[in-house]
Amino acid sequence: MAAGAVVADAGCVLLIRRTAPAGALLWSFPSGKTDPGESAADAAAREALEEAGVTVAPVVVLDSRVHPATGWRVVYVACRLLGGTAHAASPREVAEVAWAGLGDLWRLVPGGVYAPVQAYLDGRLAW
């Protein structure tokens, strides 16, 4: 199982561009496999720090699915930004980071965002 950190702040959501895309997936939320005994919420917070250099607090699990591009089961966790400046904290895995507004989100993730996550972001991001 993998956990994805959905970090919305100041009208934007945090995305990372991986150095090696997973299938057709180029931009994504900071995410990765959960460690044994680790909750999805804890994994999402850890991945946000390891991949994007930001400290976050998990707020709520939004939903989960088998991702159509990767085949991995992903649990999406809404997180509140606590601190740090987003950057490619793991250059081996992450090529760049971006804070994307709704318009940029559709450009960077052309297949669209999972509906429960999109519904959350619609309430958090400015048009």
Side-chain angles (χ1 to χ4, degrees):
M1 174 175 65
V6 181
V7 184
D9 188 64
C12 295
V13 64
L14 180 62
L15 296 176
I16 62 166
R17 184 173 63 82
R18 298 204 175 275
T19 56
L25 188 63
L26 184 59
W27 287 90
S28 67
F29 303 113
S31 60
K33 292 183 180 177
T34 56
D35 290 337
E38 185 178 40
S39 71
D42 289 342
R46 177 180 51 76
E47 290 293 340
L49 181 60
E50 289 177 0
E51 293 184 344
V54 294
T55 302
V56 301
V59 175
V60 66
V61 171
L62 299 171
D63 205 351
S64 68
R65 70 169 172 171
V66 173
H67 196 285
T70 64
W72 302 331
R73 181 170 177 258
V74 180
V75 177
Y76 296 92
V77 181
C79 298
R80 182 171 42 92
L81 181 66
L82 298 177
T85 301
H87 65 283
S90 176
R92 181 178 54 82
E93 296 177 284
V94 179
E96 66 180 302
V97 299
W99 285 101
L102 281 177
D104 293 326
L105 185 60
W106 287 105
R107 182 178 53 78
L108 296 173
V109 186
V113 174
Y114 182 46
V117 175
Q118 185 65 54
Y120 170 77
L121 292 175
D122 286 345
R124 298 277 305 165
L125 305 184
W127 282 92

